[in-house]
């Protein structure tokens, strides 16, 4: 096969594109490139990849990363397109801010012939970076301890914050009492840890109890029930809570202050309650140029679908500057860091069939995660050759299950660890990038709270954890956690500027203001394997923009019958 | 027939009180109003450590050594008694001093 360089195609400009199946992606500031399909380079097969073929020329001729890398695998377009057709690859930067505006300024280069001199763009260097995830690193681990220690330290550490918030809210004369000092009928404030007694919560004791002879419960999406009860515990006693408190919204492990009085029946009648609120925040030093951090989560490799691989490769190519004309490449050079927030491997790599099958059937088969990790290594190699990457493990990744998850081992990435730009970090992850404090998790804390609370929106849950001043209050109860004894590292010592969580069903972002001039950008990073969307955070303006990398998706199954052609 | 043979006969009799019957059944509880006899220095220190273990203000005591618990209490600002720290420092490596009251019980 002769490789010939593809020339920038017919005069297409924003607003037009090739028609494939009667639909096309309007360029609108997002068009990456256009060009000619070369029959030589794209072998005809009847197999379609995501319904869209690409790729085309970048400035300076030659082929871009996608088809160069993938032509051996038969990347192709639908059989009906003929050479000479022009295909448009759309990059949907829908919110028309920052990234695409910068790109549009240089868009005139899209339609002119390749320039004689190749334009090069140097990536913005990271001015300052410090990794502050040290509290989440576990050295030697000992599991011969009970979880009472983590609850005791949580209460002891949070008590002063709650007492000061209670005094701010209900007046400095409010009586703060312990449960053992309660007098019936006296209005006072009590600080303690919540416990929610849920009949639907999966209980191992009920499962193994022979007298009940119960079958294990099927997993549900939410375990809340109208009969749930809230119980407040402090160091010595516990008391049932009733009154104006939203039982379905709160979860076990939250430390809060309640105002009310003890009734004669031994229950506490709540009039009002408050949380510890946002931690104090150090202001970020303002930056003078636009710098972006790309947040992606849920790459889901090894999942068996070709659609997400296309999206992943597009993402890598955009970040490494191999897609787009000079405007897009210049914008991509302003991306100073990429954070992969968990679930790099797909849920399918975790199949336990090999445990149930006989040994002689599974002897020569490899675990599905081996192939997936090799793919991940290649992707990380491409990324880390160009940009600093932080890789956080997630729920389905080969590391420990309990929080805090330790970094993936570098022996799994023999190619990518050659670059010092690759950083394998913990989950949760905390770092200061160019003066902006980032804190985030791979989403297990938020999805666990989602299961046991009536809150529906993942962004709302993320904001709630910030108000409660604890990253994952359900941690030892329903979410696995290491038995810490000295401190509870999940309490926010100070408020971050960007707080994110990965693997949410959809993108969400919000800026919240705290009572003491704190400003936090909350980002719910969506699952890339289903939504093909990543998030771009602008460090200068603290705004977040989604970028989606989808081709014509799986819903366009029937492109063949829709009259393609010139 | 002499007196009954008790299982506790296999243990050595420790005479703590002068004039006691030397009965291996154990000491009788002191009558009210009687002052407990002074214990040896070791016994006093162990008693101090046991009281530190049972104090609820400093958190749970199981699963960690007394020194770890003391340091945790100090870092959290709970002001644990410095005498406990001195006792622990003067007997390093002795499991009767360093390990908590319940350390023979698993978890």
């Amino acid at each position: 096969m002769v490789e010939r360089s593809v020339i920038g195609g017919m005069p297409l400009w924003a607003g037009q594109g090739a028609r494939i199946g009667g639909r096309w992606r309007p360029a609108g500031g997002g068009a990456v490139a256009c060009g000619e399909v070369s029959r030589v380079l794209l072998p005809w097969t009847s197999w379609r990849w995501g319904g869209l073929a690409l790729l085309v020329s970048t400035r300076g001729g030659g082929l871009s990363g996608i088809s160069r890398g993938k032509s051996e695998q038969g990347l192709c377009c639908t059989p009906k397109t003929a050479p000479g057709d022009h295909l448009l690859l759309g990059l949907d930067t829908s919110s028309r801010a920052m990234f695409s505006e910068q790109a549009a300024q240089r868009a005139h280069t899209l339609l002119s012939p390749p320039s004689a001199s190749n334009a090069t763009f140097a990536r913005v260097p990271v001015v300052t970076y410090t990794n502050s995830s040290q509290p989440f690193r576990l050295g030697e681990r000992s599991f011969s301890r009970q979880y009472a220690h983590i609850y005791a330290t949580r209460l002891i550490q949070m008590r002063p914050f709650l007492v000061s918030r209670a005094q701010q809210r209900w007046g400095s004369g409010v009586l703060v009492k312990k449960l053992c000092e309660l007098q019936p009928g006296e209005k006072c404030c009590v600080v303690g840890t919540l416990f929610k007694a849920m009949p639907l919560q999966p209980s191992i004791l009920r499962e193994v109890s022979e007298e009940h002879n119960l079958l294990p419960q099927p997993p549900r999406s939410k375990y809340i029930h109208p009969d749930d009860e809230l119980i407040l515990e402090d160091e010595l006693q516990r008391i049932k809570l009733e009154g104006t408190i939203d039982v379905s919204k709160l979860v076990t492990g939250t430390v809060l202050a309640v105002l009310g009085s003890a009734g004669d029946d031994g229950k506490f009648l709540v009039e009002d309650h408050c949380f510890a609120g946002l931690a104090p925040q150090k202001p970020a030093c303002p930056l003078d140029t636009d710098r972006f951090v790309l947040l992606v989560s849920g790459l889901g490799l090894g999942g068996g679908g070709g659609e997400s691989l296309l999206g992943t490769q597009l993402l890598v190519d955009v970040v490494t500057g191999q897609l787009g004309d000079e405007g897009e490449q210049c914008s991509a050079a302003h991306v100073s860091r990429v954070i992969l927030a968990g679930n790099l491997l797909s849920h399918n790599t975790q199949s336990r069939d090999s445990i149930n099958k006989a040994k002689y059937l599974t002897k020569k088969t490899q675990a599905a995660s081996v192939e997936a990790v090799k793919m991940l290594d290649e992707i990380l190699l491409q990324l880390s050759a160009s940009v600093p990457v932080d890789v956080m493990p997630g729920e389905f990744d080969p590391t420990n299950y309990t929080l805090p998850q330790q970094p993936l081992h570098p022996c799994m990435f023999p190619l990518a660890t050659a670059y010092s730009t690759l950083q394998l970090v913990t989950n949760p992850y905390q770092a200061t990038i160019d003066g902006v404090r980032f804190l985030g998790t791979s989403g297990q804390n938020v999805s666990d709270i989602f299961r046991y609370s009536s809150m529906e929106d993942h962004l709302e849950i993320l904001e709630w954890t910030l108000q409660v001043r604890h990253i994952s209050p359900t941690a030892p109860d329903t979410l696995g956690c290491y038995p810490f004894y000295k401190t509870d590292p999940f309490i926010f010592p100070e408020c971050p500027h960007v707080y994110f969580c990965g693997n949410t069903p959809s993108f969400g972002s919000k800026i919240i203001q705290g009572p003491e001039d704190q400003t936090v950008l909350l980002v719910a990073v969506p699952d890339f394997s289903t939504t093909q969307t990543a998030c771009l955070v602008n460090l200068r303006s603290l705004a977040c923009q989604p970028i989606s990398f989808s081709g014509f998706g799986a819903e366009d199954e029937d492109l063949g019958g829709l009259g393609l052609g010139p | 027939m002499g007196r009954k043979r008790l299982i506790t006969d296999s243990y050595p009799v420790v005479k703590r009180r002068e004039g006691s019957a030397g009965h291996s059944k154990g000491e009788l509880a002191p009558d009210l109003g009687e002052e407990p006899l002074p214990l040896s220095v070791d016994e006093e220190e162990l008693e101090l450590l046991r009281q530190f273990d049972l104090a609820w203000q400093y958190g749970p005591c199981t699963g960690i050594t007394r020194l770890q618990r003391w340091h945790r209490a100090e870092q959290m600002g709970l002001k644990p008694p410095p005498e406990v720290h001195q006792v622990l420092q003067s007997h390093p490596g002795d499991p009767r001093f360093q390990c908590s009251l319940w350390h023979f019980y698993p978890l």
Side-chain angles (χ1 to χ4, degrees), chain A residues 62-132:
Chain A
L63 281 173
S64 154
I66 289 192
S67 57
R68 192 190 295 132
K70 300 284 191 274
S71 58
E72 312 85 65
Q73 296 177 34
L75 170 62
C76 72
C77 41
T78 63
K80 297 261 178 83
T81 52
D85 272 1
H86 293 84
L87 296 170
L88 193 68
L89 170 63
L91 184 66
D92 179 14
T93 53
S94 46
S95 81
R96 289 169 213 301
M98 319 180 292
F99 206 66
S100 42
E101 265 169 12
Q102 272 192 340
Q105 281 157 22
R106 298 200 182 211
H108 61 277
T109 55
L110 185 63
L111 305 170
S112 45
S115 52
S117 63
N118 287 337
T120 49
F121 300 99
R123 190 173 296 280
V124 289
V126 172
V127 175
T128 50
Y129 169 77
T130 39
N131 187 346
S132 354

Side-chain angles (χ1 to χ4, degrees), chain A residues 42 101 104 110 163 209 219 240 249 256 274 287 304 321 338 394 433 496 501 522 563:
Chain A
L42 301 172
E101 265 169 12
L110 185 63
V163 169
S209 158
K240 195 152 156 229
K249 185 173 174 193
L256 80 171
C274 82
L287 297 165
V338 173
I433 302 172
C501 92
L522 300 174

Side-chain angles (χ1 to χ4, degrees), chain A residues 467-481:
Chain A
Q467 292 288 349
V468 171
R469 213 191 278 210
H470 200 275
I471 297 176
S472 63
T474 54
D477 189 40
T478 44
L479 187 60
C481 177

Side-chain angles (χ1 to χ4, degrees), chain A residues 98 102 124 287-292 334 538-541:
Chain A
M98 319 180 292
Q102 272 192 340
V124 289
L287 297 165
D288 44 356
T289 55
D290 269 341
R291 280 156 189 274
F292 297 96
H334 286 279
N538 186 338
L539 296 181
R540 183 170 61 99
S541 62

Side-chain angles (χ1 to χ4, degrees), chain A residues 426-508:
Chain A
T426 56
N427 166 31
Y429 172 53
Q430 197 173 292
T432 313
I433 302 172
D434 289 338
V436 177
R437 244 187 115 78
F438 276 71
L439 172 63
T441 63
S442 301
Q444 290 112 317
N445 55 333
V446 171
S447 54
D448 199 61
I449 296 175
F450 177 84
R451 275 196 280 270
Y452 295 97
S453 159
S454 61
M455 292 188 274
E456 294 284 340
D457 184 22
H458 284 244
L459 200 64
E460 186 195 344
I461 297 177
L462 198 63
E463 186 183 352
W464 185 81
T465 58
L466 202 57
Q467 292 288 349
V468 171
R469 213 191 278 210
H470 200 275
I471 297 176
S472 63
T474 54
D477 189 40
T478 44
L479 187 60
C481 177
Y482 174 73
F484 291 101
Y485 77 94
K486 239 184 176 171
T487 54
D488 186 348
F490 299 114
I491 300 177
F492 285 95
E494 57 167 341
C495 196
H497 299 108
V498 179
Y499 181 41
F500 64 92
C501 92
N503 301 301
T504 55
S506 61
F507 170 77

Side-chain angles (χ1 to χ4, degrees), chain A residues 143-146 148-149 152-153 156-157 178 235-236 485-487, chain B residues 56-64 68 71-72 75-76 78 107:
Chain A
F143 285 90
S144 58
R145 265 199 295 272
Q146 295 204 4
H149 295 275
T153 54
I156 295 175
Q157 281 181 277
K178 292 213 189 316
E235 292 94 346
L236 295 174
Y485 77 94
K486 239 184 176 171
T487 54
Chain B
W56 61 269
Q57 296 93 331
Y58 311 117
C61 68
T62 57
I64 52 176
Q68 284 173 330
H71 282 302
R72 172 179 81 184
Q75 274 167 14
M76 297 226 207
L78 301 168
L107 271 189

Side-chain angles (χ1 to χ4, degrees), chain A residues 20-224:
Chain A
I20 299 176
R23 288 171 47 178
W24 45 275
R25 288 263 178 192
V32 174
C34 58
E36 233 180 56
V37 171
S38 158
R39 180 168 62 179
V40 175
L41 286 157
L42 301 172
W44 300 110
T45 68
S46 58
W47 174 71
R48 219 170 53 203
W49 187 327
L52 176 69
L54 3 119
L55 175 42
V56 202
S57 74
T58 56
R59 304 291 2 122
L63 281 173
S64 154
I66 289 192
S67 57
R68 192 190 295 132
K70 300 284 191 274
S71 58
E72 312 85 65
Q73 296 177 34
L75 170 62
C76 72
C77 41
T78 63
K80 297 261 178 83
T81 52
D85 272 1
H86 293 84
L87 296 170
L88 193 68
L89 170 63
L91 184 66
D92 179 14
T93 53
S94 46
S95 81
R96 289 169 213 301
M98 319 180 292
F99 206 66
S100 42
E101 265 169 12
Q102 272 192 340
Q105 281 157 22
R106 298 200 182 211
H108 61 277
T109 55
L110 185 63
L111 305 170
S112 45
S115 52
S117 63
N118 287 337
T120 49
F121 300 99
R123 190 173 296 280
V124 289
V126 172
V127 175
T128 50
Y129 169 77
T130 39
N131 187 346
S132 354
S133 307
Q134 198 45 43
F136 304 119
R137 278 300 249 139
L138 301 170
E140 225 179 84
R141 282 162 248 187
S142 156
F143 285 90
S144 58
R145 265 199 295 272
Q146 295 204 4
Y147 287 109
H149 295 275
I150 194 174
Y151 279 119
T153 54
R154 191 184 292 180
L155 184 57
I156 295 175
Q157 281 181 277
M158 298 271 271
R159 189 180 275 277
F161 308 141
L162 278 161
V163 169
S164 69
R165 285 277 176 217
Q167 285 171 341
Q168 275 172 19
R169 192 162 156 146
W170 299 315
S172 52
V174 67
L175 294 167
V176 178
K177 289 201 158 184
K178 292 213 189 316
L179 284 177
C180 49
E181 299 161 359
L182 280 185
Q183 303 286 337
E186 189 192 7
K187 182 160 164 175
C188 57
C189 159
V190 185
V191 174
T193 315
L194 268 186
F195 176 76
K196 189 151 116 171
M198 307 172 76
L200 289 180
Q201 181 177 354
S203 162
I204 189 68
L205 294 175
R206 257 183 271 153
E207 273 181 34
V208 301
S209 158
E210 277 143 18
E211 53 196 49
H212 291 264
N213 215 15
L214 283 177
L215 295 166
Q217 243 193 64
R220 294 162 175 252
S221 64
K222 271 193 183 294
Y223 292 100
I224 53 177

